[in-house]
Amino acid sequence: MPKITFLGAGSTIFAKNVLGDCMLTPSLQDFEFALYDIDHQRLKESEQMLNNLKQSYGSTVSIHAYTDRKEALRNAKYVVNAIQVGGYKPSTVIDFEIPKRYGLRQTIADTVGVGGIFRALRTIPVMLDFAKDIEEVCPDALFLNYTNPMASLTGAMLRATNVKTVGLCHSVQAAVPDLFKELELDEEGVQWNIAGINHMAWLLEVSKDGKDLYPEIKRRARLKQQEKHSDMVRYELMNRFGYYVTESSEHNAEYHPYFIKKQYPELVDRFNIPLDEYPRRCVEQIEHWEKMKHDVIHNENLTHERTHEYASYLIEAIETDQPFRLHGNVLNTGGLISNLPEKAVVEVPCLVDHNGVTPCRVGELPPQLAALNRTNVNTQLLTVEAALTGKREHIYHAAMLDPHTAAELSMDDIISLCDDLIEAHGSWLPSFEKEKAFTV
């Protein structure tokens, strides 16, 4: 029986999306869904939820919850990773509150910035432990990484292990539909091309019947900027740099040095930037889950519609040899994007069939877009370097090169902030010895 192992299965709603999608895919019937989570209560809840779905649809998949990770992985053909190391408390709270003492404000803090750096540093060691088990008990498995920070985590897996890994995100497939809906444009028949890095990939071309739609998109976007809305940062980036970016404005506000600034506090209001959005969202999601979990866990008529998450389509394409095109996060080996570093993880079109995931070469990005990408790639590469070498100095380097952090803090304050974060996270992080040369 082929096996899909879901690591972090206690994330019940996301498990419902990904494994519910798989359950509704005809070619994936008779698979085993192996669930693993360190929170055994949440694991049990997800198992019950999936059994409800199985009963509702008469599926022939089998569902097993494991408390032994290696047994959950044994003989898996696909491994889905959706873990969050440290959770909302204590780790997410630490990632926001300590930088705030230095005057450094964030919105999401899961990709770059000091929040993204420390999320990566506490997650990479766990994923490398996963890799050891995978290499032992399912060495041919394909590892589908959904956990952020996508580029740093996927890069660590691809560079430091033998595990076949691709990073999957939903920002690309949502970008054009969301943009067209907001601008009241008809999406039917539109062709588009996107490439870049995760959360900062670019809509390079968008056309219909051979006609470039960018002039009309930009015209409508400029009109929309006259009143406040939820996507003002992305529209401003498109206005200044010429292209639309895939991830939301609350994310992109903290990827660049232009929007969240102590020196210009009015920018936060002007661009409608939701500071501290992620902690607020975490609290809302926790409260929402507590209200709805009884109906999800105990509803024997539970329903599900296939989502736009890539995992089920990817697995279906491999199993049926019916090609599917997606945007995956892969190493930039051979210069898939020729003006980004080879060690970078890039988000590019990939063809999936029985042979697996084959990335497509994009060539050069427009120079201003590659330059913006490189500012984030610098931090990602140094974060991976810190995780793989255990050198604290590379944590400092990563933070000092982060665009938003560097625009707000002195080098002395950045180093002090990193030291405070290391101390606060405690056992959630591996040991990073302090270099004498960086003692402040």
Side-chain angles (χ1 to χ4, degrees):
M1 178 179 289
K3 184 175 183 179
I4 301 170
T5 298
F6 197 111
L7 302 174
S11 178
T12 305
I13 297 302
F14 193 65
K16 180 177 185 287
N17 287 345
V18 172
L19 294 179
D21 289 353
C22 292
M23 197 180 295
L24 295 182
T25 305
S27 60
L28 306 186
Q29 298 306 303
D30 300 323
F31 266 66
E32 177 189 353
F33 294 173
L35 314 180
Y36 175 79
D37 200 286
I38 59 173
D39 186 329
H40 294 173
Q41 179 59 38
R42 293 291 301 271
L43 178 64
K44 184 178 179 181
E45 292 169 355
S46 293
E47 180 186 24
Q48 182 60 52
M49 175 274 298
L50 288 166
N51 274 311
N52 290 340
L53 275 184
K54 177 181 175 179
Q55 179 173 312
S56 293
Y57 291 102
S59 173
T60 57
V61 301
S62 64
I63 299 160
H64 298 110
Y66 292 80
T67 56
D68 183 316
R69 187 178 73 203
K70 190 175 289 188
E71 290 308 309
L73 288 166
R74 190 174 301 279
N75 299 322
K77 191 170 184 180
Y78 306 96
V79 179
V80 178
N81 181 56
I83 64 171
Q84 184 181 359
V85 178
Y88 166 59
K89 288 184 178 179
S91 293
T92 295
V93 171
I94 291 170
D95 285 343
F96 276 83
E97 293 304 316
I98 291 181
K100 208 180 293 184
R101 296 177 197 165
Y102 287 79
L104 184 64
R105 302 299 298 273
Q106 301 171 99
T107 53
I108 306 295
D110 73 346
T111 300
V112 287
V114 290
I117 291 167
F118 278 84
R119 181 180 279 240
L121 293 175
R122 62 180 179 264
T123 308
I124 287 172
V126 176
M127 289 177 57
L128 295 183
D129 279 346
F130 291 171
K132 291 177 183 176
D133 285 351
I134 291 168
E135 289 169 349
E136 179 182 345
V137 301
C138 56
D140 296 324
L142 178 60
F143 190 85
L144 311 180
N145 180 48
Y146 272 103
T147 297
N148 284 323
M150 177 64 67
S152 298
L153 302 185
T154 303
M157 289 291 285
L158 289 169
R159 289 172 55 191
T161 81
N162 294 316
V163 176
K164 294 183 292 184
T165 303
V166 61
L168 302 178
C169 183
H170 50 238
S171 60
V172 171
Q173 60 264 48
V176 171
D178 288 353
L179 174 64
F180 275 52
K181 181 179 180 181
E182 287 299 314
L183 297 181
E184 299 180 350
L185 288 165
D186 181 12
E187 185 200 350
E188 187 175 353
V190 171
Q191 295 179 306
W192 48 265
N193 181 29
I194 288 175
I197 62 172
N198 181 242
H199 286 189
M200 201 192 291
W202 306 98
L203 180 59
L204 300 174
E205 299 171 317
V206 55
S207 63
K208 185 173 183 177
D209 299 325
K211 180 182 178 182
D212 181 10
L213 296 182
Y214 250 131
E216 180 63 14
I217 289 170
K218 292 175 181 178
R219 185 188 73 81
R220 295 193 184 205
R222 283 191 291 270
L223 291 174
K224 195 170 179 63
Q225 289 290 74
Q226 294 174 12
E227 296 181 0
K228 283 186 181 179
H229 59 91
S230 62
D231 216 10
M232 299 189 78
V233 169
R234 279 205 281 185
Y235 286 16
E236 180 71 359
L237 288 168
M238 177 169 62
N239 182 47
R240 302 295 186 176
F241 289 96
Y243 295 83
Y244 187 68
V245 68
T246 51
E247 190 47 84
S248 64
S249 284
E250 62 261 29
H251 273 284
N252 268 277
E254 63 184 7
Y255 300 163
H256 306 276
Y258 313 117
F259 301 105
I260 307 172
K261 301 180 76 67
K262 295 191 297 289
Q263 187 179 1
Y264 301 103
E266 69 275 9
L267 293 174
V268 170
D269 179 65
R270 176 183 166 189
F271 290 106
N272 202 24
I273 296 168
L275 296 174
D276 299 323
E277 169 65 17
Y278 187 64
R280 187 164 51 247
R281 190 180 298 174
C282 287
V283 171
E284 291 171 356
Q285 288 174 345
I286 292 167
E287 291 175 350
H288 180 63
W289 172 244
E290 288 302 316
K291 291 177 182 178
M292 68 176 291
K293 73 176 182 179
H294 182 273
D295 290 338
V296 172
I297 296 167
H298 300 289
N299 183 0
E300 295 181 356
N301 298 308
L302 189 64
T303 61
H304 179 72
E305 293 183 4
R306 198 172 182 185
T307 72
H308 66 185
E309 298 292 352
Y310 277 143
S312 68
Y313 300 95
L314 181 154
I315 297 171
E316 180 182 36
I318 293 174
E319 293 298 314
T320 64
D321 202 24
Q322 295 297 310
F324 179 72
R325 182 178 179 270
L326 55 76
H327 280 72
N329 289 271
V330 297
L331 274 182
N332 193 31
T333 305
L336 297 170
I337 297 180
S338 55
N339 49 354
L340 292 182
E342 285 219 350
K343 288 185 178 180
V345 168
V346 292
E347 195 164 60
V348 296
C350 299
L351 181 67
V352 187
D353 57 18
H354 192 62
N355 294 312
V357 180
T358 304
C360 301
R361 188 176 187 277
V362 173
E364 282 198 358
L365 295 179
Q368 73 276 22
L369 305 186
L372 287 171
N373 281 165
R374 284 195 294 267
T375 66
N376 280 225
V377 167
N378 292 335
T379 297
Q380 292 161 359
L381 293 181
L382 283 160
T383 301
V384 174
E385 201 68 22
L388 298 185
T389 64
K391 291 185 176 181
R392 186 183 290 222
E393 65 186 76
H394 291 317
I395 303 176
Y396 301 153
H397 296 152
M400 287 189 289
L401 286 168
D402 173 69
H404 173 44
T405 307
E408 292 288 274
L409 303 183
S410 69
M411 286 193 285
D412 284 349
D413 278 349
I414 291 171
I415 291 170
S416 179
L417 169 58
C418 289
D419 287 341
D420 286 352
L421 285 165
I422 291 168
E423 182 178 356
H425 280 297
S427 61
W428 288 106
L429 291 175
S431 176
F432 288 97
E433 294 301 321
K434 195 166 187 175
E435 299 286 334
K436 290 182 180 179
F438 283 88
T439 300
V440 178

